[in-house]
Amino acid sequence: MALATHQTQKMTCIKTLVSQSSHSNATLPSNYIHPINPDDSVANSELEHLIPTIDFSVLTSTDPAQRSKAIHDLSKACQDWGFFLVINHGVSESLMKDVMDSCYNFFNLTDEEKKLYEGTDVLDPIRCGTSFNTSKEKIFFWRDFLKVLVHPDFHFPDKPKGFSELVLEYVKRIREVAGELLRAISISLGLEASYMHNILNLESSLQVFVANLYPPCPQPELALGMPPHSDHGLLNILVENGVGGLQIQHNRKWVNVKAPPNSFLVNTCDHLEIVSNGRYKSVVHRAVVNNATTRISLAIANGPSLDTMVSPAPALTNDENNPPAYTPIKYKEYLQLQQGNKLDQKSILDRIRLQKE
Ligand code: OGA
Ligand code: NI
């Protein structure tokens, strides 16, 4: 028995779809079934344990030798994986837990309440919806979301009570961590520590708070929470409620990310790839779903300021072996392209790539 899809004008969110089904043997509606990709294979679990971990307290320590070792490790993580876990980041467990709890409560608001936050344009400061971009998709993703622009101007839904205040504090702490990571990354590229802060105007950086809800799915092997994609911006800092479901692509295989409690899952994004002229490639990742437990992830995107023209750092393109590999593009224009289309691998970055790989 298929779950009923109520397709009125707007798509039904997954949460409602699931709650309308009283059948324990429900099957997946056909417009959520993704074709199986024969090239997809999941790496064995040994690789999971090789995912790099960066100890933030060492990276920011005053001991130059320790710090320089941590910067070296970070550089390797960016180059070899485009992904790393961050531990000892100093953001309090209770703040992280409170933000996560408020997210549950947000998704538990009624459909009418959430409708107020739906938004219409891809750059609306508050948007709430399902899948990624239902106006462009034929097959949907098993995911509901809330996306809010929280910096340089802070916007937020006024429900549930207290959510906004918690997120205001949380995203400020995340900006501090992202800022330190970007200083260390700049150094690792042979640039001034403040290179990215200055050139990308990080004082006014765009920061987007994204909450993802992945309810239990009746046939998880046929569905996807999010398709293979890379993210816009510089660094995406994600936390999740311990259920697991993020996979990153590494040496053509999907690697399951199992993060220790309270760690940050950080992936390098398209604009870091552009600035580093391809030295640090944005990592392709996806979210898979399960049939037992609701998963929530909070992904905080940290990017340049919206009106920055982003181009490869001149210091990294100054010899004939390293010509500029990407056409400069305004971050705002890139964001509109990425959010306004289907989410598909690195399709937007590929448009501005000068040397085809
Ligand atoms: C994202 C994303 C993955 C996840 O929000 O961009 O890739 O595990 N999320 O929720
Ligand atoms: Ni992503």
Side-chain angles (χ1 to χ4, degrees), residues 132 143 147 210-212 214 226-227 229-231 236 238-240 244-247 265 267 285-288 295-300 343:
F132 178 76
R143 165 213 191 209
K147 279 189 199 183
V210 182
N212 300 303
Y214 306 100
M226 277 188 100
H229 70 281
S230 59
D231 295 329
N236 201 341
L238 184 138
V239 297
E240 56 157 29
L246 175 64
Q247 294 184 330
L265 289 57
N267 62 281
H285 55 286
R286 67 179 186 179
V288 296
R295 172 166 184 254
I296 289 193
S297 67
L298 306 181
I300 316 295
L343 193 58

Side-chain angles (χ1 to χ4, degrees), residues 244-310:
L246 175 64
Q247 294 184 330
I248 53 172
Q249 208 168 61
H250 183 73
N251 295 342
R252 296 173 197 276
K253 292 224 163 89
W254 290 109
V255 180
N256 287 313
V257 179
K258 296 219 181 77
N262 301 309
S263 54
F264 289 155
L265 289 57
V266 183
N267 62 281
T268 61
C269 307
D270 295 346
H271 291 82
L272 188 59
E273 176 166 338
I274 299 172
V275 173
S276 71
N277 201 36
R279 283 257 290 272
Y280 295 162
K281 300 233 168 11
S282 59
V283 67
V284 173
H285 55 286
R286 67 179 186 179
V288 296
V289 291
N290 74 82
N291 64 8
T293 320
T294 293
R295 172 166 184 254
I296 289 193
S297 67
L298 306 181
I300 316 295
N302 299 275
S305 84
L306 262 185
D307 48 12
T308 307
M309 199 65 176
V310 185

Side-chain angles (χ1 to χ4, degrees), residues 119-171:
T120 49
D121 183 81
V122 294
L123 285 185
D124 277 347
I126 303 181
R127 286 197 296 142
C128 173
T130 189
S131 195
F132 178 76
N133 184 349
T134 54
S135 70
K136 301 277 178 180
E137 296 157 344
K138 293 200 177 66
I139 306 178
F140 304 113
F141 300 102
W142 198 259
R143 165 213 191 209
D144 296 333
F145 67 83
L146 167 67
K147 279 189 199 183
V148 193
L149 308 188
V150 290
H151 194 260
D153 296 318
F154 183 77
H155 305 267
F156 217 73
D158 39 18
K159 282 184 192 166
K161 197 169 175 304
F163 192 15
S164 168
E165 290 78 3
L166 287 167
V167 170
L168 179 67
E169 174 63 17
Y170 182 63
V171 295

Side-chain angles (χ1 to χ4, degrees), residues 57-273:
S57 66
V58 177
L59 190 72
T60 52
S61 88
T62 48
D63 176 339
Q66 282 209 6
R67 183 166 154 76
S68 109
K69 161 88 170 61
I71 292 175
H72 175 78
D73 293 347
L74 181 59
S75 162
K76 262 195 89 50
C78 292
Q79 197 147 345
D80 299 348
W81 288 81
F83 187 86
F84 48 91
L85 305 172
V86 173
I87 56 167
N88 297 327
H89 46 65
V91 180
S92 84
E93 276 173 40
S94 71
L95 179 61
M96 291 168 71
K97 181 178 180 306
D98 291 348
V99 173
M100 190 58 89
D101 290 348
S102 288
C103 282
Y104 271 106
N105 297 338
F106 176 84
F107 286 115
N108 276 334
L109 296 174
T110 64
D111 286 355
E112 287 68 37
E113 286 171 306
K114 279 183 277 190
K115 237 184 173 43
L116 294 174
Y117 307 119
E118 219 162 40
T120 49
D121 183 81
V122 294
L123 285 185
D124 277 347
I126 303 181
R127 286 197 296 142
C128 173
T130 189
S131 195
F132 178 76
N133 184 349
T134 54
S135 70
K136 301 277 178 180
E137 296 157 344
K138 293 200 177 66
I139 306 178
F140 304 113
F141 300 102
W142 198 259
R143 165 213 191 209
D144 296 333
F145 67 83
L146 167 67
K147 279 189 199 183
V148 193
L149 308 188
V150 290
H151 194 260
D153 296 318
F154 183 77
H155 305 267
F156 217 73
D158 39 18
K159 282 184 192 166
K161 197 169 175 304
F163 192 15
S164 168
E165 290 78 3
L166 287 167
V167 170
L168 179 67
E169 174 63 17
Y170 182 63
V171 295
K172 179 167 161 270
R173 299 303 315 276
I174 295 284
R175 276 199 304 284
E176 288 163 5
V177 173
E180 281 303 326
L181 291 172
L182 289 169
R183 279 180 210 285
I185 288 175
S186 295
I187 294 171
S188 80
L189 289 166
L191 306 167
E192 292 273 320
S194 58
Y195 179 82
M196 289 195 215
H197 282 76
N198 297 337
I199 209 89
L200 303 173
N201 191 16
L202 297 190
E203 261 312 92
S204 306
S205 64
L206 183 78
Q207 199 182 26
V208 191
F209 173 94
V210 182
N212 300 303
L213 177 84
Y214 306 100
C217 176
Q219 292 179 290
E221 64 293 345
L222 302 180
L224 270 178
M226 277 188 100
H229 70 281
S230 59
D231 295 329
H232 65 81
L234 299 163
L235 293 175
N236 201 341
I237 302 190
L238 184 138
V239 297
E240 56 157 29
N241 64 341
V243 173
L246 175 64
Q247 294 184 330
I248 53 172
Q249 208 168 61
H250 183 73
N251 295 342
R252 296 173 197 276
K253 292 224 163 89
W254 290 109
V255 180
N256 287 313
V257 179
K258 296 219 181 77
N262 301 309
S263 54
F264 289 155
L265 289 57
V266 183
N267 62 281
T268 61
C269 307
D270 295 346
H271 291 82
L272 188 59
E273 176 166 338

